[in-house]
Amino acid sequence: MVAGGAAPPRRPRAGDPDAEELAVHESDADVVVLGAGPAGEVAAGRLGEAGLDVVLIEPRLVGGECSYYGCMPSKALVRPVELLDEVARVPGVRELLSGTIDPQVVLDRRDEVIHELDDDAQLPWLEERDVRLVRGHGRLAGELVVEVLEDADAERPAERITARRAVLLATGSRPAIPPVPGLADACGWTNREATTAETVPGQLVVVGGGPIGAELALAWSSLGAEVTLLEGSPRLLVKEEQYAGEQVAAGLRAHGVDVRVGARIASASRDGERVAVTLEDGEVIAGDELLVATGRHPNSDGLGLDSVGVAADEHGFVATDDALRVGGRDWLYAVGDLNGRALLTHQGKRQARVAADRILGYATAALGEHEPDGLTSPRVTFTEPQVAAVGHTLASAREAGIDARAIDVASDGNAGASFVGKGAGGTTRFVIDPAAGVLVGATFVGAGVAEQLHAATIAVAGRVPLDVLDQAVPAFPTRNEVWLRLAEKRPRD
Amino acid sequence: MVAGGAAPPRRPRAGDPDAEELAVHESDADVVVLGAGPAGEVAAGRLGEAGLDVVLIEPRLVGGECSYYGCMPSKALVRPVELLDEVARVPGVRELLSGTIDPQVVLDRRDEVIHELDDDAQLPWLEERDVRLVRGHGRLAGELVVEVLEDADAERPAERITARRAVLLATGSRPAIPPVPGLADACGWTNREATTAETVPGQLVVVGGGPIGAELALAWSSLGAEVTLLEGSPRLLVKEEQYAGEQVAAGLRAHGVDVRVGARIASASRDGERVAVTLEDGEVIAGDELLVATGRHPNSDGLGLDSVGVAADEHGFVATDDALRVGGRDWLYAVGDLNGRALLTHQGKRQARVAADRILGYATAALGEHEPDGLTSPRVTFTEPQVAAVGHTLASAREAGIDARAIDVASDGNAGASFVGKGAGGTTRFVIDPAAGVLVGATFVGAGVAEQLHAATIAVAGRVPLDVLDQAVPAFPTRNEVWLRLAEKRPRD
């Protein structure tokens, strides 16, 4: 185990005329990681555990967008209503319940989950792995060289770190506001405010019917807000199976959300305490707050990419190969949202493990040929019903040239669903490639289906033959018996 | 599609002196299935769907022990307490709850689940598949010949059916009472009474700490009974990982059950309304009712096996090969509890699909070489915490000659468990075969882990290489992230 911690700074040489001017703290490390979100943390931790001397640079909170402004608080906000729905389906328990959710209790619990926006709790994990944390804005300043600035606008760096092995970029993404007239000014909430707000708006207008918009619409509605959800496409969750977006829309409506699909926005404005969104058809939707959840922008600006002859793509993403290397360089990696493969925490963490392994000398470490990635990554939307999917939808499989076939089954049409998620509805779809004899995708829509996803992820990633899937018997009475439909309907020899 | 329904009876010939004596209704069918539990139903349904002319014989309720006296009512009884535990872990919902479970509400719900012991609801499914149901006791009377008696003790058959293709035995099992002095007389409850009782006993003594005893101890305790659970072995759930039995015992105790392990029973007695069990150490445990849940006995007696030269084994089970054939005969199959492979509904149904496929002419239909079966079958105990396991335990893997290694992880030690099962404890163990590079077993203990099992079942059945399992990324934040420990700890090239 190599000793961790910072190497002694290289002092400017005595007699150097620029010594005072150049009094930049100089240091070195095996690996420098930029960004301490989930991907950066996993990479730094894995490298540190392996005995490497690692520096991790973060301008904001260790733990990243996901921990404070994303997955974690949104799940904290939505979990109570999900559980209440289940209670309402179970005689013996539902009779014991009275009243409605106290928003303050839920917001307090959310504050606990996000540690009151304090990252102290994250630090011991890094310390145990001998990762040196540097707070500041990191940028490339040449091959294997990283400068740390107090903030992105600082005139000169406070520290210059030379990496012996590699630099790993994991700077993540930030909310993007689409160029609709007035929208940027009217928008009071992005995911950051919508996950950390301390009061419940009376009327909330949500622009964007993807996973973030849908989850937060449900969450704030459950806390008492009157929510309108606007989506320009003909359905919610446009990247998922068509029925998934429709079933989520129905679920949101049943929870009191006014869901408008095909609602294209012409402009937005804010007038004191009120916001207004004007649709292309002229209708005006007014509210007390406006959440824009329409997409993300990668944090690639100010990264110093040009200093090493690398450029981001037109969307700002930093492309990589399957070993997560940037521009074929063996010393430069990009993982997580920054590379644009899949803006999902778990995919960023997976990429971090691969990149770390590569840096550690596992020469074949790379994303697998059949590994779910990009749009086929495993993904879960925590609405009521939930949507958990991996691999292809039927449409994306056919676009990919697969002569795919869908096998549909009611998610709650089995004995297991007599007890959990009873009558909650939702459809499970298996997408198979009959020619190859494998599952290429699965979508589960229903109550609490998130944990059912991993079985499909293994089947898809492992390209487990359909006749072997028959031998994987779902236990009775669990809702995993949806898999029996494959055994019944798959093509046989 | 072959027309279903009964063939016209063969009338005795005129002038036959024994005509009146022999007025047995004669019929024929492609396949005769004995026993309409889950396995028999699945086989009959699959054969009927394929166009075969099928007769299904059942002396009791269509749906079998599982539907009325087993898995289904026990889950109905235990689900409320499971959900109450989760409610207690979720701020925002727990504040809305007051009071304790009303047993009558739970018993009414249980009655709904078991359809008040009426099997009418099962019949349309059979009718849609053109399966002819005959109520009575079936027994073999020669090759491809089955007789139906009004009951097992009837002097002569009411009907004689000749099968053109096959006879499939699926007669299941019944509770077995161990030969402890007085136990058979003192025992008021087997699984049948314990799943259908209409009142809650004040004090309930449960003998047997396997899945059935543990589930029903929790269920009746949650309904207000004072429950003592006696297990002769040093721990509950002896076939599972040692820690699983220990964690379930701790969970039962936390729910008020007096769990006694290593409690060997010397005798039992009943005196009017009270029962007493005397342990080998002299202690007497008294109660208002006694449930014996120590094992099952196959329903192979009275099956007429000798008429075709077949004998059950010393435990009464009817052995089969991997195509579920009995004694190598191409026309005789045994599926479900009767063959003793695994006394689990889902395994019986799996065997039924295989046997049906074989009968339908799929010559290679058979249980797979690496298919989890017997003790390695997927299995779930619905206690608090739940135990969901598949494949080998560490001990059974080593007994099987595998140089196995265990990778343990806290079931609630991930972000997903911040929201579901928070603080409920429990351990997940992955058992790997490092030489083969595959997972050979997994045990999940924790709150609501049942649906997490199928991922492991696919990995084990499919012998998915460990490095491919790395490519199956668990979604964040779900509790499936327990799988990440494999990616961290598995041996690498």
Side-chain angles (χ1 to χ4, degrees), chain A residues 352-445:
Chain A
R353 291 190 293 276
V354 169
D357 283 358
R358 195 83 177 197
I359 292 169
L360 289 170
Y362 295 97
T364 59
L367 300 177
E369 185 191 347
H370 298 294
E371 179 165 349
D373 187 22
L375 287 174
T376 68
S377 301
R379 52 208 186 264
V380 180
T381 302
F382 289 83
T383 38
E384 278 283 275
Q386 292 179 345
V387 179
V390 65
H392 281 294
T393 60
L394 181 59
S396 77
R398 288 183 174 166
E399 278 163 28
I402 299 168
D403 186 16
R405 198 182 128 201
I407 296 175
D408 291 351
V409 50
S411 299
D412 64 351
N414 53 55
S418 308
F419 309 113
V420 179
K422 178 176 161 59
T427 303
T428 294
R429 168 168 287 180
F430 296 103
V431 180
I432 63 173
D433 177 346
V438 297
L439 185 75
V440 296
T443 297
F444 304 83
V445 180

Side-chain angles (χ1 to χ4, degrees), chain A residues 152-423:
Chain A
D153 302 324
E155 273 190 23
R156 51 195 293 280
E159 181 167 357
R160 184 176 298 116
I161 312 169
T162 302
R164 286 182 288 272
R165 286 207 195 181
V167 174
L168 190 144
L169 309 175
T171 51
S173 66
R174 60 182 185 272
I177 310 286
V180 170
L183 193 61
D185 289 334
C187 167
W189 281 10
T190 64
N191 64 291
R192 291 189 182 173
E193 295 77 19
T195 50
T196 54
E198 289 295 346
T199 55
V200 182
Q203 291 179 310
L204 174 66
V205 183
V206 180
V207 174
I212 298 174
E215 290 180 3
L216 291 170
L218 175 63
W220 288 103
S221 170
S222 77
L223 298 180
E226 192 179 301
V227 179
T228 304
L229 176 59
L230 304 175
E231 167 58 47
S233 308
R235 64 175 196 271
L236 303 183
L237 309 181
V238 286
K239 293 171 188 167
E240 302 299 347
E241 296 283 1
Q242 179 174 330
Y243 75 82
E246 291 167 0
Q247 292 178 348
V248 167
L252 287 172
R253 289 187 179 118
H255 284 83
V257 176
D258 183 6
V259 178
R260 310 280 192 97
V261 293
R264 301 182 63 85
I265 298 168
S267 66
S269 62
R270 175 177 289 267
D271 177 10
E273 298 289 294
R274 295 285 288 175
V275 294
V277 173
T278 304
L279 304 184
E280 286 188 352
D281 67 4
E283 186 179 356
V284 177
I285 315 285
D288 298 302
E289 194 45 87
L290 173 61
L291 162 60
V292 179
T294 49
R296 312 280 304 167
H297 191 80
N299 292 323
S300 56
D301 26 11
L303 259 190
L305 295 170
D306 49 349
S307 75
V308 296
V310 169
D313 71 14
E314 71 271 31
H315 304 293
F317 293 112
V318 178
T320 70
D321 61 19
D322 283 348
L324 287 318
R325 292 176 305 192
V326 178
R329 288 159 180 76
D330 270 323
W331 65 271
L332 185 63
Y333 296 78
V335 301
D337 288 7
L338 181 68
N339 66 31
R341 286 173 170 267
L343 279 66
L344 294 161
T345 290
H346 46 279
Q347 294 300 98
K349 296 199 299 178
R350 161 66 178 155
Q351 296 163 17
R353 291 190 293 276
V354 169
D357 283 358
R358 195 83 177 197
I359 292 169
L360 289 170
Y362 295 97
T364 59
L367 300 177
E369 185 191 347
H370 298 294
E371 179 165 349
D373 187 22
L375 287 174
T376 68
S377 301
R379 52 208 186 264
V380 180
T381 302
F382 289 83
T383 38
E384 278 283 275
Q386 292 179 345
V387 179
V390 65
H392 281 294
T393 60
L394 181 59
S396 77
R398 288 183 174 166
E399 278 163 28
I402 299 168
D403 186 16
R405 198 182 128 201
I407 296 175
D408 291 351
V409 50
S411 299
D412 64 351
N414 53 55
S418 308
F419 309 113
V420 179
K422 178 176 161 59

Side-chain angles (χ1 to χ4, degrees), chain A residues 15-76:
Chain A
D16 182 335
D18 296 330
E20 200 158 332
E21 177 69 16
L22 293 176
V24 176
H25 182 95
E26 297 270 354
S27 67
D28 52 22
D30 290 325
V31 181
V32 180
V33 177
L34 273 66
E41 278 192 301
V42 163
R46 193 170 179 90
L47 294 166
E49 273 176 16
L52 262 58
D53 177 20
V54 181
V55 172
L56 177 61
I57 304 169
E58 171 60 52
R60 294 162 56 92
L61 293 167
V62 175
E65 194 87 350
C66 163
S67 302
Y68 304 98
Y69 306 107
C71 334
M72 293 299 285
S74 60
K75 261 88 269 177

Side-chain angles (χ1 to χ4, degrees), chain A residues 79 86 109 357 418 492, chain B residues 79 86 109 357 418 492:
Chain A
R79 175 66 177 139
E86 179 63 4
R109 165 67 181 136
D357 283 358
S418 308
R492 283 181 294 180
Chain B
R79 175 66 178 140
E86 180 63 6
R109 165 70 180 133
D357 282 357
S418 307
R492 281 181 296 181

